[in-house]
Amino acid sequence: MVGLVSSAAGLVGFLYEQDPELQVFALRAANDDISLIWTELAAAVDQIEALYEDESFPERELAALVAAKIYYHLQEYNESMIFALGAGKLFDIDREGEFEDTIIAKCIDAYISMSASQHRSASSGTLPELSTSFTNKEDGTTNVSASMSSPVTPFSQSALPSKSLLSRQDSSAVEAGVDDKPMNGGPRGPDDMQSGTRKALHAVIRRIFERCFQEGAYRQVVGIAVEARNLEVLRETISRAGQDADRLSKSKGRNQMGRREEIMDYLLEICMNVVQERALRNQILQLILDLLVSNEVSSPDYFSIAKCIVYLGQHSKASNMLKELAQQGEPKALAVAYQISFDLFDNGTQDFLNKVMEGLPQTEEKESEFSGVTANAASEPNAYENAQESDRLLSENEAPSGTTTTLPNRTKEPTLPEDQQKSFSNIREILTGTKSLELNLEFLFRSNKSDRQVLYKLKSSLEARNSIFHSAVTFANAFTNSGTASDWFVRENLDWLNKAVNWSKFSVTASLGVIHRGNINQGRKLLDPYLRDSATGGASSAYSKGGALYGLGLIYTNHGTHVLDYLYDQIKQAQNEEVVQHGAALGLGVAGMATEAEHLVEELRNALWSDSAISGQAAGLGMGLVLLGSGDVKALEDMIAYAHETERDKTVRGIALGIALIMYGRQEDADELISALLDDPDPTLRYGGIMTIAMAYCGTSSNKAVRKLLHLAVSDVNDDVRRVAVMSLGFILFRKPSSVPRMVELLAESYNPHVRYGATMALGIACAGTGLEEAIDLLEPMMKDSTDFVRQGTLIALSMIMAQQSEAMSPKVTTIRKHLLKVVGDRHEDAMAKFGASVALGIIDAGGRNCTIGLQTQTGNLNMSAIVGMAVFIQYWYWFPFAHFLALSFTPTSVIGVDQDLEVPQLELHCAARKSLFDYPAPMEVKQEETPEKVKTAVLSTTAQAKRRKLAKEKEQNKGDSMDIDQAPSTPKASAPDEDKMDTEEDSQDSQDKGGEKTTASSDSKAKDGEVVSSGKPTSGKQKPEKEKIGFELENMSRVLPGQLKHTSFSEGRYVPVKKPTGGVVVLNDTQPAEPKTLIERQVKKPSAAPTDGAQQQQTQPQQTSSTPQQDSQNTQNDAAAVLNAVDEDEEGVAEAECPREFDYESDGEGGGGD
């Protein structure tokens, strides 16, 4: 037997015989022992190929199989695949072996390459993806003819490039494993395959698909189809999953229909998180949407439909879906409609939501709620104020006093029933955002746990007359109390407030907008004292008025329905006041974000062309905010042309940032513009090109974009460009935060401090709120960097990462907090590092320790406002007031359950984890300066003995004249060993012993109640702390961290959530609507009255304020307005504060960019 396999010379000789039977015998023997004799058979591979090509040979398929195995051992896998396909059914894909697995993998790669190439070439001549700048049809889809006749390019080219500059490489040959040098004239690759081989390849792939279908491995087929860009296979797979599930349900008597929904969810997940090309993603989402709304689905997944609709921008389908659910008349369907409305508001733009509301049936409240206020805001200065006092935006939909509006019957639709009118009115209230803002404001106000001592420590440690330190305290206070409507620090520190001048006063006034962000019911009234002219008793300082306009926009962030007209008038009237125009432009951009309103853009364009560096910078940014993600060609051309004309660097920088915002989310459509900007000799425009990459490809994890940024980070000659290139990595990769530390590890050790600073901020942006240990380990050594602004960036990045992290989740959070306070109090620390530590203390306690930085929404989509806020925040390097934009990135960490009446009932949630794992951090212990204690007078032993002898002598003298009563000595009797010791330590030692006894007693009492107590002293072996139990109950409207969500569920009972809780607002289905319900009392809407028990309890807590936002706002108007509205004392003198300037590179400078 050994002799048969020791040499294949005989088999090789049989192959050259003329007798076909001998040749067949040789092939069969070779096939059985190919792994042992392939080295000798390789010399006869030409003869085996000839037998395969001979059509008269009876065993052609066997010859092909032997040739395939020979080429497999020669590692010529492409040739092996070609001959394996020629083997037909002899190539058994069901057989387990390395040869079969390798050929199957090569077949799949070849199929993917060939199919993707065909579909890519078929779609290369379609309309460009920049569709929002063209006329849209009524149903929200793009007009194809208009798009093709007007190709979108930034510099008026006649056609777009054939392939994306930043998309995936055309790796058809690489993915298929095609070799450049084929052997023996074999085909080069899938594109050169003969028709017979192509058919064989499709047959093998079909057999693979069928085997997957039989085994229920639908996900493998979905993955292959997505890579191959074959939508027909995707459709067939989803349909087949539904059919198989239906068949199994009938045969087994159990419901198996969840299999189809599972495949749909999987496809939606990889489409949003894996697919990088925007065109392919849109095609897949459209397929999913068509399948979800088809009649094949008995119970459609409305939440997945809404997710697709938002991304595709098909507002008409969103309106139809909401109408269908609201008109069903079922409580659960109505609850689903409300939940979808909340999701649409979280993920949609203002323009999209307005179009959705236009498609809903008209109700009597709509016109009076929105049109009445804005119609009179421009004509009557006090009309808006009167309307705000009577219009309850957060609850009832009533017409404002002083305004009369009528609703024209445009469509002559039949009158809706009263219950449907109420339903559509509630849907509109949700879509406008008033309900979400109301609930978030209530949560942040009642759950405020901000530590006052930290802010007082900052105030006492940083000299307020230094503008950079004053701004640092301003930002720390704004971030700490963001969205809580608690402005106690401003009211209680008027002496500190009085030291604000010029741009510091601008920032302080704007900080009120951050603190009251979302308080749209009182927003205008709060800032009214700063907005009135000096003739009417209002602001005398242009800086306070400009800051108030900026703050007004921050209050109405992405919800500017009621203030856009007012801000529009202000920017028109302030043509000669550049500071006021600066604030109005910023406020208009924030409030009108993504509205694409032409009249707003036109007025901002006029401000841009005013040739003012201050107003021009804000106008350029404002244009980008209003046109966010639109890709407007005309605006881009105007901005680029003016950037080349003007000589003001600040204006060019504002234009560069605005261009990047206009191309937000455009991906491949921005490539031509990116190339032009990166080739510009002006470093500021190259800076804008980098920001355009960051905004166009944010959250996509695009490999090509990452390579481009890394190349620029080490090759550009300008430090600003290199710095922003590294920072932009965080925007691209924030959905994969674990990959960022490894990517920037070497950059963090660069000789260039700007690159090191960029590495710190990239980690902070990408890993915000995650507590990622790898990122913390990389940043910790950089806290001692030799350059001050690198230390500044490190501290800010650490605070972003540590946001909403408890000591149990991240043990280093306490050490980092202490280090931040140490930096602030260190007199020898540089000013830039102190500024970074102050801002970091505000970020780590954002929103009263109830907010995190979330660049994704609760449903997994991109958080547009948060990304924009982060992109503008990092520009504080040049202009400190931009730091307020970080408030747009703060996301409340809460779960708020509402019923079908949009009311908040009292209920409980269960968290299956230890309570200490998600507790609030302990208040920071700020050491106060201890006054020296008065030293007791030393009493000598001889003096004490003399006093005792004197008392004893007097006692004996009076003994005969008085009754026999023992009199206690006036001085304590010393013990014998201590008789000669000075009496100085007895009292203190006794007090310590007593204090220790009290501590032990209190600890014992707490331990009896089941609490874990740490007394600071080692306990005896008998006393053991009780083990903390797993699981605890939460009230509705409670703080629930992102990592806590997977352990949290609603307790079984009356209220059932309509979807799995993902954080934020969750609509509950009331299963017992006839029963009375108990609601949570709203503290924000509570009128001024005597405090209840709950309020009195809050007064005892140092972190809480007992006043309502209405009371706080009134106090702010009376106390702080007079200070901020006053004309600066040094306005006409020689000591006027400087405007923000270029960053000082020297480490001993006091400011990095300005005041």
Side-chain angles (χ1 to χ4, degrees):
M1 189 65 182
V2 177
L4 294 177
V5 297
S6 60
S7 175
L11 296 180
V12 173
F14 286 159
L15 291 176
Y16 288 95
E17 294 290 340
Q18 298 297 324
D19 189 357
E21 294 184 1
L22 294 177
Q23 293 173 339
V24 171
F25 172 79
L27 291 174
R28 288 176 179 174
N31 184 48
D32 294 337
D33 299 322
I34 192 68
S35 60
L36 300 176
I37 61 176
W38 67 268
T39 53
E40 298 180 65
L41 290 176
V45 70
D46 293 339
Q47 177 63 20
I48 298 176
E49 289 186 22
L51 295 177
Y52 165 67
E53 296 173 358
D54 186 2
E55 296 182 359
S56 63
F57 187 66
E59 295 290 342
R60 294 182 60 218
E61 295 180 352
L62 180 60
L65 182 61
V66 174
K69 292 182 178 181
I70 294 174
Y71 280 119
Y72 164 75
H73 287 288
L74 291 171
Q75 298 185 2
E76 297 289 344
Y77 300 121
N78 186 58
E79 300 295 329
S80 178
M81 177 196 68
I82 298 298
F83 286 105
L85 292 176
K89 294 183 179 181
L90 292 181
F91 175 58
D92 188 4
I93 63 174
D94 297 328
R95 181 180 178 182
E96 296 182 359
E98 294 183 2
F99 168 72
E100 286 76 13
D101 294 342
T102 304
I103 299 305
I104 289 175
K106 296 302 297 183
C107 289
I108 293 175
D109 290 343
Y111 170 78
I112 290 174
S113 176
M114 184 170 58
S115 179
S117 177
Q118 292 176 353
H119 290 87
R120 184 182 290 112
S121 61
S123 60
S124 61
T126 58
L127 67 152
E129 293 303 319
L130 194 59
S131 58
T132 54
S133 61
F134 300 110
T135 304
N136 289 343
K137 299 180 182 178
E138 296 180 356
D139 60 350
T141 59
T142 307
N143 190 327
V144 178
S145 60
S147 300
M148 295 188 66
S149 61
S150 303
V152 179
T153 53
F155 304 111
S156 302
Q157 286 94 344
S158 59
L160 288 175
S162 59
K163 188 179 69 174
S164 169
L165 301 176
L166 292 177
S167 60
R168 183 184 303 177
Q169 289 182 342
D170 187 6
S171 54
S172 58
V174 177
E175 293 179 353
V178 179
D179 299 323
D180 294 333
K181 297 180 180 181
M183 293 182 62
N184 300 324
R188 287 183 174 271
D191 294 337
D192 298 327
M193 286 184 183
Q194 299 178 358
S195 60
T197 306
R198 289 175 179 268
K199 292 180 180 180
L201 176 62
H202 285 284
V204 170
I205 295 298
R206 172 52 55 184
R207 289 161 59 191
I208 295 174
F209 288 168
E210 289 296 333
R211 188 178 68 175
C212 292
F213 292 153
Q214 293 175 4
E215 297 176 355
Y218 301 101
R219 294 192 176 191
Q220 284 82 343
V221 183
V222 168
I224 295 173
V226 170
E227 287 288 334
R229 310 169 69 98
N230 195 326
L231 301 183
E232 293 300 324
V233 174
L234 283 177
R235 187 186 300 272
E236 179 188 0
T237 304
I238 297 173
S239 177
R240 182 69 176 269
Q243 295 174 5
D244 294 346
D246 190 18
R247 185 177 63 257
L248 290 176
S249 299
K250 294 179 179 179
S251 62
K252 296 184 179 182
R254 292 180 299 176
N255 187 9
Q256 301 285 337
M257 294 306 296
R259 181 176 298 182
R260 176 192 178 103
E261 286 71 17
E262 179 185 354
I263 298 303
M264 297 285 283
D265 294 340
Y266 174 73
L267 178 59
L268 184 60
E269 179 184 356
I270 64 173
C271 179
M272 301 300 296
N273 300 327
V274 178
V275 178
Q276 297 183 4
E277 298 181 33
R278 186 167 179 259
L280 177 59
R281 186 185 298 118
N282 289 344
Q283 294 175 2
I284 297 176
L285 287 176
Q286 186 62 51
L287 171 64
I288 297 174
L289 184 59
D290 294 341
L291 291 173
L292 288 173
V293 299
S294 63
N295 297 328
E296 299 178 4
V297 181
S298 57
S299 56
D301 185 358
Y302 290 105
F303 302 110
S304 297
I305 294 175
K307 196 171 184 178
C308 298
I309 285 175
V310 170
Y311 192 89
L312 295 173
Q314 298 183 359
H315 52 83
S316 60
K317 290 187 177 180
S319 302
N320 295 334
M321 181 172 58
L322 293 176
K323 286 191 294 185
E324 177 185 350
L325 290 170
Q327 292 173 355
Q328 288 183 10
E330 298 180 359
K332 185 175 182 179
L334 184 60
V336 172
Y338 289 164
Q339 184 67 68
I340 291 175
S341 301
F342 279 113
D343 293 345
L344 290 177
F345 172 73
D346 290 338
N347 298 287
T349 63
Q350 290 190 69
D351 181 61
F352 176 80
L353 295 174
N354 290 334
K355 292 178 180 179
V356 172
M357 288 187 287
E358 290 177 0
L360 298 177
Q362 301 295 330
T363 57
E364 296 179 358
E365 292 86 353
K366 179 184 178 182
E367 292 291 336
S368 61
E369 181 183 357
F370 301 108
S371 301
V373 177
T374 57
N376 296 328
S379 58
E380 300 181 16
N382 297 326
Y384 188 86
E385 178 182 359
N386 297 334
Q388 284 293 324
E389 294 177 356
S390 60
D391 185 16
R392 300 184 63 83
L393 298 176
L394 301 181
S395 55
E396 302 84 15
N397 291 321
E398 300 174 354
S401 59
T403 62
T404 58
T405 57
T406 58
L407 178 65
N409 191 359
R410 288 172 290 186
T411 58
K412 297 183 180 181
E413 296 179 353
T415 304
L416 296 174
E418 183 178 355
D419 57 342
Q420 291 190 15
Q421 284 195 8
K422 180 181 178 181
S423 300
F424 286 114
S425 177
N426 290 337
I427 290 176
R428 278 198 171 85
E429 185 181 8
I430 297 172
L431 291 175
T432 55
T434 54
K435 180 56 64 174
S436 296
L437 295 176
E438 171 199 358
L439 295 173
N440 288 332
L441 177 64
E442 175 70 25
F443 163 73
L444 293 175
F445 177 75
R446 67 190 298 128
S447 303
N448 186 8
K449 301 290 184 181
S450 59
D451 194 345
R452 293 190 172 201
Q453 298 301 325
V454 174
L455 292 177
Y456 279 121
K457 173 68 175 178
L458 293 176
K459 173 178 171 290
S460 61
S461 301
L462 303 177
E463 175 57 44
R465 290 196 177 275
N466 190 328
S467 61
I468 184 176
F469 290 156
H470 197 285
S471 298
V473 178
T474 298
F475 297 140
N477 172 51
F479 295 156
T480 300
N481 297 294
S482 174
T484 63
S486 177
D487 52 10
W488 60 269
F489 185 82
V490 177
R491 292 182 287 107
E492 296 179 4
N493 296 277
L494 298 181
D495 56 338
W496 169 83
L497 192 66
N498 193 35
K499 297 177 182 179
V501 295
N502 295 346
W503 290 106
S504 295
K505 181 176 293 185
F506 180 93
S507 296
V508 172
T509 314
S511 69
L512 295 175
V514 177
I515 295 173
H516 294 277
R517 180 170 175 256
N519 190 8
I520 60 176
N521 195 32
Q522 299 288 332
R524 171 68 192 280
K525 188 176 180 180
L526 285 165
L527 297 177
D528 188 71
Y530 313 96
L531 297 173
R532 291 196 298 262
D533 296 331
S534 57
T536 58
S540 300
S541 172
Y543 294 96
S544 63
K545 184 175 182 179
L549 293 172
Y550 181 20
L552 186 64
L554 291 171
I555 292 177
Y556 291 86
T557 298
N558 204 19
H559 186 78
T561 307
H562 296 80
V563 295
L564 287 180
D565 289 343
Y566 176 79
L567 292 171
Y568 174 76
D569 292 339
Q570 290 296 317
I571 198 173
K572 288 181 63 176
Q573 298 171 7
Q575 295 181 359
N576 298 326
E577 299 179 358
E578 59 182 6
V579 176
V580 177
Q581 200 171 41
H582 178 90
L586 290 177
L588 188 63
V590 178
M593 187 184 301
T595 56
E596 304 181 29
E598 295 182 1
H599 67 289
L600 301 182
V601 176
E602 185 63 28
E603 194 57 40
L604 288 170
R605 185 185 288 109
N606 295 335
L608 177 66
W609 291 344
S610 63
D611 198 28
S612 170
I614 295 177
S615 59
Q617 181 184 25
L621 175 59
M623 289 182 65
L625 290 170
V626 174
L627 297 174
L628 181 64
S630 66
D632 190 281
V633 181
K634 185 177 184 302
L636 290 172
E637 292 177 346
D638 293 342
M639 296 170 74
I640 293 174
Y642 188 73
H644 286 105
E645 294 176 2
T646 185
E647 297 180 355
R648 301 189 179 275
D649 293 339
K650 293 183 181 297
T651 302
V652 177
R653 185 169 292 113
I655 291 174
L657 187 57
I659 290 173
L661 296 177
I662 291 177
M663 302 307 294
Y664 168 84
R666 304 307 302 182
Q667 294 186 219
E668 294 88 357
D669 296 332
D671 293 342
E672 195 74 24
L673 176 61
I674 291 171
S675 298
L677 291 175
L678 294 180
D679 292 338
D680 198 282
D682 189 348
T684 306
L685 288 180
R686 295 203 305 275
Y687 184 101
I690 300 294
M691 288 300 301
T692 305
I693 296 177
M695 293 293 98
Y697 287 88
C698 59
T700 62
S701 303
S702 172
N703 296 330
K704 192 73 175 186
V706 170
R707 286 196 294 268
K708 190 70 173 178
L709 292 174
L710 290 175
H711 172 70
L712 292 169
V714 297
S715 63
D716 199 278
V717 297
N718 185 268
D719 286 335
D720 290 346
V721 177
R722 299 180 67 179
R723 182 181 67 250
V724 74
V726 182
M727 285 192 294
S728 298
L729 293 171
F731 289 100
I732 305 296
L733 298 169
F734 67 80
R735 281 183 166 175
K736 297 180 180 179
S738 59
S739 63
V740 180
R742 183 176 65 257
M743 185 172 297
V744 302
E745 184 176 4
L746 294 178
L747 295 174
E749 300 176 359
S750 171
Y751 72 93
N752 190 324
H754 291 268
V755 175
R756 298 200 302 272
Y757 174 89
T760 64
M761 295 303 294
L763 289 169
I765 295 169
C767 307
T770 62
L772 192 65
E773 294 184 2
E774 292 83 356
I776 298 172
D777 294 340
L778 188 59
L779 288 172
E780 274 187 318
M782 303 182 71
M783 291 192 295
K784 300 179 181 179
D785 195 276
S786 59
T787 307
D788 53 357
F789 62 79
V790 176
R791 298 197 300 274
Q792 176 195 93
T794 302
L795 299 178
I796 294 177
L798 282 172
S799 66
M800 292 180 181
I801 298 172
M802 287 298 187
Q804 294 290 279
Q805 296 293 315
S806 64
E807 188 174 1
M809 299 169 61
S810 182
K812 294 182 180 180
V813 64
T814 303
T815 305
I816 292 175
R817 287 178 179 270
K818 291 181 180 179
H819 181 77
L820 294 176
L821 284 175
K822 179 182 177 182
V823 172
V824 171
D826 189 356
R827 297 182 178 179
H828 303 287
E829 186 61 81
D830 293 321
M832 290 302 298
K834 287 187 176 183
F835 177 86
S838 303
V839 174
L841 285 170
I843 295 174
I844 202 171
D845 290 338
R849 298 184 172 180
N850 291 293
C851 286
T852 187
I853 296 177
L855 301 186
Q856 296 186 76
T857 63
Q858 302 286 359
T859 56
N861 288 351
L862 298 181
N863 190 340
M864 180 187 67
S865 298
I867 294 173
V868 171
M870 183 64 72
V872 182
F873 163 73
I874 61 177
Q875 312 304 319
Y876 80 88
W877 179 281
Y878 305 101
W879 190 248
F880 278 170
F882 285 160
H884 286 309
F885 269 83
L886 185 62
L888 276 64
S889 301
F890 294 154
T891 303
T893 53
S894 63
V895 171
I896 306 174
V898 298
D899 57 11
Q900 287 97 328
D901 297 327
L902 300 183
E903 296 175 334
V904 185
Q906 288 187 359
L907 52 88
E908 289 186 345
L909 294 84
H910 179 74
C911 180
R914 296 191 304 273
K915 187 176 182 180
S916 61
L917 189 61
F918 306 107
D919 270 346
Y920 284 100
M924 300 295 292
E925 296 181 2
V926 181
K927 294 183 179 180
Q928 301 179 354
E929 296 182 359
E930 299 180 357
T931 58
E933 297 181 358
K934 185 177 180 181
V935 180
K936 294 182 179 181
T937 304
V939 180
L940 298 177
S941 60
T942 56
T943 305
Q945 292 176 1
K947 288 183 178 181
R948 285 195 295 270
R949 285 195 297 267
K950 183 179 180 180
L951 289 174
K953 184 176 181 180
E954 292 177 356
K955 181 179 179 181
E956 292 178 357
Q957 291 177 356
N958 298 330
K959 186 175 182 181
D961 299 335
S962 62
M963 298 176 63
D964 296 337
I965 300 175
D966 294 336
Q967 183 175 356
S970 59
T971 58
K973 183 176 181 180
S975 59
D978 298 332
E979 185 175 357
D980 296 334
K981 186 178 180 179
M982 289 188 289
D983 303 332
T984 58
E985 299 179 358
E986 295 178 358
D987 297 339
S988 60
Q989 184 66 32
D990 293 341
S991 63
Q992 289 179 4
D993 295 339
K994 293 179 181 179
E997 295 174 0
K998 292 180 180 180
T999 304
T1000 305
S1002 62
S1003 301
D1004 293 339
S1005 63
K1006 291 183 179 181
K1008 292 179 181 180
D1009 295 335
E1011 298 181 5
V1012 179
V1013 179
S1014 176
S1015 61
K1017 295 183 179 181
T1019 59
S1020 61
K1022 296 182 180 180
Q1023 296 180 353
K1024 294 182 179 180
E1026 293 186 4
K1027 185 178 180 180
E1028 185 180 7
K1029 65 178 183 180
I1030 297 178
F1032 61 97
E1033 304 299 325
L1034 292 169
E1035 296 182 354
N1036 193 10
M1037 195 175 281
S1038 294
R1039 171 178 176 263
V1040 179
L1041 302 183
Q1044 188 179 356
L1045 281 172
K1046 58 184 178 182
H1047 305 291
T1048 305
S1049 61
F1050 283 87
S1051 301
E1052 296 182 0
R1054 176 175 177 177
Y1055 297 99
V1056 180
V1058 296
K1059 74 168 187 176
K1060 183 179 180 180
T1062 56
V1065 182
V1066 179
V1067 181
L1068 308 172
N1069 181 28
D1070 189 356
T1071 59
Q1072 303 173 6
E1075 298 294 330
K1077 58 184 177 181
T1078 306
L1079 304 178
I1080 293 180
E1081 183 181 3
R1082 304 287 181 87
Q1083 297 182 8
V1084 173
K1085 296 170 61 175
K1086 195 163 49 177
S1088 301
T1092 61
D1093 295 340
Q1096 292 177 356
Q1097 183 178 2
Q1098 288 184 1
Q1099 290 179 356
T1100 63
Q1101 301 179 3
Q1103 293 86 359
Q1104 291 286 349
T1105 57
S1106 59
S1107 58
T1108 63
Q1110 291 83 350
Q1111 294 171 333
D1112 292 345
S1113 62
Q1114 186 65 31
N1115 293 332
T1116 304
Q1117 294 176 7
N1118 296 335
D1119 300 334
V1123 177
L1124 292 177
N1125 288 338
V1127 179
D1128 299 332
E1129 296 179 358
D1130 57 352
E1131 196 168 42
E1132 298 179 357
V1134 296
E1136 183 176 0
E1138 295 182 359
C1139 295
R1141 51 187 169 78
E1142 292 294 328
F1143 188 85
D1144 191 357
Y1145 183 82
E1146 300 295 332
S1147 61
D1148 58 349
E1150 291 185 353
D1155 307 333

